[in-house]
Amino acid sequence: MSQVEDVVHGIYDAINTGNLTLLEKFVAPAYVEHSEGYQGVEPFKQQVAAFRGAFPDLRVTVEDLLIDGDRFASRTTVTGTNTGDLMGMPATGKQISVEAVDIGRISGGQAQERWGGLNMYALLTQLGVIPAPQPS
């Protein structure tokens, strides 16, 4: 396994197990989250903790992982049951299965930056927060 692959899988393993201390090993202190607009490993840990609070059985499954030098692209499926509050919304008890696409850069054995993220439209539709599109 390449260093990039090790880091990517390490991050997803930390998310899946809820062992957020592991993120300090795999995410650089100056990490830049371009899509969410923050910098640093602590905000990343806070975001993951909030999502795991809403979905305690959260699971990220890697469907595709492409590596080119120090960059990667991943397509994952995120599953879980919404038993906790999410972004101010009360728990629905519903299960989700949502795709995410990420592009990132790894250097020095740590994630340095990332673009992309979870399909929030699908997430909110599956939770029943917004209506699902109807065929015409």
Side-chain angles (χ1 to χ4, degrees):
M1 218 183 301
S2 73
Q3 180 184 55
V4 172
E5 194 172 0
D6 286 342
V7 170
V8 171
H9 283 288
I11 291 169
Y12 292 139
D13 287 345
I15 292 169
N16 286 341
T17 63
N19 184 354
L20 304 188
T21 303
L22 276 177
L23 292 175
E24 295 170 14
K25 175 181 178 183
F26 296 111
V27 179
Y31 170 79
V32 177
E33 179 61 51
H34 294 281
S35 301
E36 302 292 332
Y38 63 78
Q39 185 172 348
V41 66
E42 286 306 316
F44 185 78
K45 286 168 56 176
Q46 291 169 9
Q47 184 181 43
V48 172
F51 208 74
R52 285 196 58 82
F55 300 90
D57 60 345
L58 182 70
R59 182 82 186 151
V60 180
T61 303
V62 177
E63 307 294 349
D64 291 300
L65 179 60
L66 306 172
I67 298 171
D68 184 13
D70 66 349
R71 297 189 182 263
F72 73 91
S74 65
R75 182 177 64 87
T76 58
T77 301
V78 178
T79 58
T81 308
N82 181 218
T83 60
D85 291 351
L86 176 67
M87 302 179 294
M89 296 177 291
T92 64
K94 295 183 179 181
Q95 293 184 334
I96 61 154
S97 179
V98 180
E99 282 194 340
V101 176
D102 297 300
I103 298 171
R105 183 176 64 83
I106 309 292
S107 177
Q110 293 184 308
Q112 302 295 323
E113 55 188 331
R114 182 189 79 96
W115 299 260
L118 192 64
N119 181 339
M120 290 302 290
Y121 179 77
L123 173 74
L124 294 173
T125 300
Q126 290 177 25
L127 292 177
V129 174
I130 58 175
Q134 300 298 315
S136 45

